mmCIF file of all heavy atoms in Angstrom:
data_model
loop_
_atom_site.group_PDB
_atom_site.id
_atom_site.type_symbol
_atom_site.label_atom_id
_atom_site.label_comp_id
_atom_site.label_asym_id
_atom_site.label_seq_id
_atom_site.Cartn_x
_atom_site.Cartn_y
_atom_site.Cartn_z
ATOM 1 N N ILE A 949 -24.360 -1.291 17.662
ATOM 2 C CA ILE A 949 -25.238 -0.589 16.673
ATOM 3 C C ILE A 949 -26.462 -1.381 16.342
ATOM 4 O O ILE A 949 -27.517 -0.822 15.987
ATOM 5 C CB ILE A 949 -24.463 -0.241 15.442
ATOM 6 C CG1 ILE A 949 -24.992 0.828 14.589
ATOM 7 C CG2 ILE A 949 -24.263 -1.458 14.526
ATOM 8 C CD1 ILE A 949 -24.149 1.397 13.486
ATOM 9 N N HIS A 950 -26.461 -2.671 16.562
ATOM 10 C CA HIS A 950 -27.486 -3.528 16.109
ATOM 11 C C HIS A 950 -28.606 -3.844 17.206
ATOM 12 O O HIS A 950 -28.384 -3.643 18.320
ATOM 13 C CB HIS A 950 -26.895 -4.875 15.675
ATOM 14 C CG HIS A 950 -26.006 -4.722 14.453
ATOM 15 N ND1 HIS A 950 -26.514 -4.403 13.248
ATOM 16 C CD2 HIS A 950 -24.630 -4.852 14.318
ATOM 17 C CE1 HIS A 950 -25.449 -4.271 12.398
ATOM 18 N NE2 HIS A 950 -24.302 -4.560 13.015
ATOM 19 N N TYR A 954 -29.536 -9.846 16.784
ATOM 20 C CA TYR A 954 -28.661 -9.856 15.674
ATOM 21 C C TYR A 954 -27.471 -10.636 16.088
ATOM 22 O O TYR A 954 -27.088 -10.649 17.289
ATOM 23 C CB TYR A 954 -28.255 -8.355 15.408
ATOM 24 C CG TYR A 954 -27.622 -8.070 14.098
ATOM 25 C CD1 TYR A 954 -28.384 -7.759 12.965
ATOM 26 C CD2 TYR A 954 -26.226 -8.092 13.913
ATOM 27 C CE1 TYR A 954 -27.766 -7.491 11.717
ATOM 28 C CE2 TYR A 954 -25.542 -7.785 12.719
ATOM 29 C CZ TYR A 954 -26.384 -7.516 11.565
ATOM 30 O OH TYR A 954 -25.849 -7.205 10.389
ATOM 31 N N ASN A 956 -24.268 -10.202 16.113
ATOM 32 C CA ASN A 956 -23.310 -9.410 16.893
ATOM 33 C C ASN A 956 -23.766 -9.203 18.283
ATOM 34 O O ASN A 956 -23.048 -9.156 19.249
ATOM 35 C CB ASN A 956 -22.937 -8.138 16.206
ATOM 36 C CG ASN A 956 -22.486 -8.340 14.774
ATOM 37 O OD1 ASN A 956 -22.954 -9.247 14.014
ATOM 38 N ND2 ASN A 956 -21.599 -7.506 14.267
ATOM 39 N N GLN A 988 -21.779 5.546 15.238
ATOM 40 C CA GLN A 988 -20.508 4.879 15.300
ATOM 41 C C GLN A 988 -19.262 5.808 15.423
ATOM 42 O O GLN A 988 -18.458 5.563 16.351
ATOM 43 C CB GLN A 988 -20.300 3.951 14.113
ATOM 44 C CG GLN A 988 -19.268 2.935 14.218
ATOM 45 C CD GLN A 988 -19.471 1.671 13.441
ATOM 46 O OE1 GLN A 988 -19.105 0.592 13.889
ATOM 47 N NE2 GLN A 988 -20.087 1.811 12.302
ATOM 48 N N ASN A 1006 -17.323 -1.684 13.310
ATOM 49 C CA ASN A 1006 -17.018 -2.015 11.942
ATOM 50 C C ASN A 1006 -15.715 -1.253 11.557
ATOM 51 O O ASN A 1006 -15.547 -0.054 11.996
ATOM 52 C CB ASN A 1006 -18.238 -1.571 11.071
ATOM 53 C CG ASN A 1006 -18.072 -1.978 9.649
ATOM 54 O OD1 ASN A 1006 -16.952 -2.117 9.145
ATOM 55 N ND2 ASN A 1006 -19.183 -2.167 8.982
ATOM 56 N N PRO A 1009 -15.946 2.673 9.369
ATOM 57 C CA PRO A 1009 -15.844 4.066 9.831
ATOM 58 C C PRO A 1009 -14.665 4.278 10.828
ATOM 59 O O PRO A 1009 -14.512 5.305 11.423
ATOM 60 C CB PRO A 1009 -17.143 4.256 10.634
ATOM 61 C CG PRO A 1009 -18.008 3.023 10.217
ATOM 62 C CD PRO A 1009 -17.030 1.990 9.838
ATOM 63 N N SER A 1061 -18.636 -9.606 8.871
ATOM 64 C CA SER A 1061 -19.913 -8.874 8.509
ATOM 65 C C SER A 1061 -20.199 -9.221 7.063
ATOM 66 O O SER A 1061 -20.809 -8.419 6.305
ATOM 67 C CB SER A 1061 -19.815 -7.331 8.765
ATOM 68 O OG SER A 1061 -18.829 -6.726 7.904
ATOM 69 N N ARG A 1064 -20.700 -6.817 1.530
ATOM 70 C CA ARG A 1064 -21.691 -5.730 1.317
ATOM 71 C C ARG A 1064 -21.940 -5.547 -0.146
ATOM 72 O O ARG A 1064 -21.045 -5.616 -0.985
ATOM 73 C CB ARG A 1064 -21.163 -4.409 1.902
ATOM 74 C CG ARG A 1064 -20.963 -4.422 3.370
ATOM 75 C CD ARG A 1064 -20.265 -3.132 3.868
ATOM 76 N NE ARG A 1064 -21.180 -2.010 3.888
ATOM 77 C CZ ARG A 1064 -21.741 -1.520 4.972
ATOM 78 N NH1 ARG A 1064 -21.577 -2.130 6.139
ATOM 79 N NH2 ARG A 1064 -22.538 -0.442 4.969
ATOM 80 N N ARG A 1085 -26.228 6.110 -0.063
ATOM 81 C CA ARG A 1085 -25.644 6.378 1.277
ATOM 82 C C ARG A 1085 -24.431 5.510 1.469
ATOM 83 O O ARG A 1085 -24.379 4.268 1.128
ATOM 84 C CB ARG A 1085 -26.661 5.949 2.401
ATOM 85 C CG ARG A 1085 -26.224 6.083 3.812
ATOM 86 C CD ARG A 1085 -25.554 4.753 4.310
ATOM 87 N NE ARG A 1085 -24.949 4.916 5.594
ATOM 88 C CZ ARG A 1085 -24.553 3.890 6.390
ATOM 89 N NH1 ARG A 1085 -24.692 2.707 5.987
ATOM 90 N NH2 ARG A 1085 -24.019 4.161 7.525
ATOM 91 N N MET A 1087 -21.041 4.786 4.557
ATOM 92 C CA MET A 1087 -20.610 5.046 5.872
ATOM 93 C C MET A 1087 -19.599 6.138 5.889
ATOM 94 O O MET A 1087 -19.082 6.527 4.820
ATOM 95 C CB MET A 1087 -19.986 3.748 6.396
ATOM 96 C CG MET A 1087 -20.938 2.615 6.687
ATOM 97 S SD MET A 1087 -20.092 1.188 7.417
ATOM 98 C CE MET A 1087 -19.281 0.483 6.014
ATOM 99 N N TYR A 1108 -26.064 5.213 10.078
ATOM 100 C CA TYR A 1108 -26.874 4.086 9.797
ATOM 101 C C TYR A 1108 -28.365 4.290 10.162
ATOM 102 O O TYR A 1108 -29.232 3.989 9.387
ATOM 103 C CB TYR A 1108 -26.316 2.906 10.639
ATOM 104 C CG TYR A 1108 -26.845 1.514 10.334
ATOM 105 C CD1 TYR A 1108 -27.021 1.070 8.968
ATOM 106 C CD2 TYR A 1108 -27.105 0.647 11.386
ATOM 107 C CE1 TYR A 1108 -27.478 -0.232 8.821
ATOM 108 C CE2 TYR A 1108 -27.566 -0.670 11.188
ATOM 109 C CZ TYR A 1108 -27.766 -1.107 9.921
ATOM 110 O OH TYR A 1108 -28.216 -2.387 9.710
ATOM 111 N N GLU A 1124 -25.650 0.431 0.662
ATOM 112 C CA GLU A 1124 -24.964 -0.857 0.457
ATOM 113 C C GLU A 1124 -24.780 -1.479 1.855
ATOM 114 O O GLU A 1124 -24.451 -0.816 2.900
ATOM 115 C CB GLU A 1124 -23.662 -0.572 -0.269
ATOM 116 C CG GLU A 1124 -22.763 0.478 0.095
ATOM 117 C CD GLU A 1124 -21.882 0.118 1.200
ATOM 118 O OE1 GLU A 1124 -21.161 -0.869 1.104
ATOM 119 O OE2 GLU A 1124 -21.918 0.807 2.257
ATOM 120 N N ASN A 1125 -25.011 -2.702 1.899
ATOM 121 C CA ASN A 1125 -24.810 -3.430 3.101
ATOM 122 C C ASN A 1125 -24.886 -5.002 2.905
ATOM 123 O O ASN A 1125 -25.163 -5.482 1.831
ATOM 124 C CB ASN A 1125 -25.837 -3.030 4.191
ATOM 125 C CG ASN A 1125 -25.162 -2.904 5.543
ATOM 126 O OD1 ASN A 1125 -24.406 -3.801 5.978
ATOM 127 N ND2 ASN A 1125 -25.508 -1.829 6.282
ATOM 128 N N ASN A 1126 -24.676 -5.757 3.970
ATOM 129 C CA ASN A 1126 -24.870 -7.244 3.921
ATOM 130 C C ASN A 1126 -26.355 -7.630 4.091
ATOM 131 O O ASN A 1126 -27.114 -6.815 4.502
ATOM 132 C CB ASN A 1126 -23.961 -7.895 4.969
ATOM 133 C CG ASN A 1126 -24.150 -7.214 6.380
ATOM 134 O OD1 ASN A 1126 -25.284 -7.089 6.770
ATOM 135 N ND2 ASN A 1126 -23.092 -6.693 6.960
ATOM 136 N N SER A 1129 -28.001 -6.862 7.688
ATOM 137 C CA SER A 1129 -28.308 -5.456 8.023
ATOM 138 C C SER A 1129 -29.398 -4.916 7.041
ATOM 139 O O SER A 1129 -30.269 -4.147 7.513
ATOM 140 C CB SER A 1129 -27.084 -4.602 7.871
ATOM 141 O OG SER A 1129 -26.180 -4.871 9.022
ATOM 142 N N GLU A 1152 -14.896 -6.696 11.734
ATOM 143 C CA GLU A 1152 -15.349 -5.759 12.828
ATOM 144 C C GLU A 1152 -14.469 -6.211 14.011
ATOM 145 O O GLU A 1152 -14.098 -7.367 14.120
ATOM 146 C CB GLU A 1152 -16.804 -5.880 13.096
ATOM 147 C CG GLU A 1152 -17.605 -5.581 11.761
ATOM 148 C CD GLU A 1152 -19.091 -5.362 12.035
ATOM 149 O OE1 GLU A 1152 -19.515 -5.545 13.199
ATOM 150 O OE2 GLU A 1152 -19.835 -5.107 11.067
HETATM 151 C C1 GTR B 806 -23.431 -3.033 9.374
HETATM 152 C C2 GTR B 806 -22.314 -2.984 10.350
HETATM 153 C C3 GTR B 806 -22.442 -1.829 11.224
HETATM 154 C C4 GTR B 806 -22.572 -0.543 10.482
HETATM 155 C C5 GTR B 806 -23.633 -0.597 9.411
HETATM 156 C C6 GTR B 806 -23.620 0.657 8.507
HETATM 157 O O1 GTR B 806 -23.238 -4.059 8.419
HETATM 158 O O2 GTR B 806 -22.331 -4.184 11.138
HETATM 159 O O3 GTR B 806 -21.371 -1.785 12.147
HETATM 160 O O4 GTR B 806 -21.345 -0.179 9.984
HETATM 161 O O5 GTR B 806 -23.421 -1.701 8.618
HETATM 162 O O6 GTR B 806 -23.888 0.492 7.322
HETATM 163 O O7 GTR B 806 -23.491 1.718 9.061
#
Side-chain angles (χ1 to χ4, degrees):
I949 200 167
H950 295 292
Y954 197 89
N956 306 33
Q988 195 151 217
N1006 188 328
S1061 64
R1064 294 174 77 100
R1085 175 269 174 168
M1087 289 184 284
Y1108 189 45
E1124 45 86 55
N1125 221 316
N1126 48 52
S1129 287
E1152 304 193 359

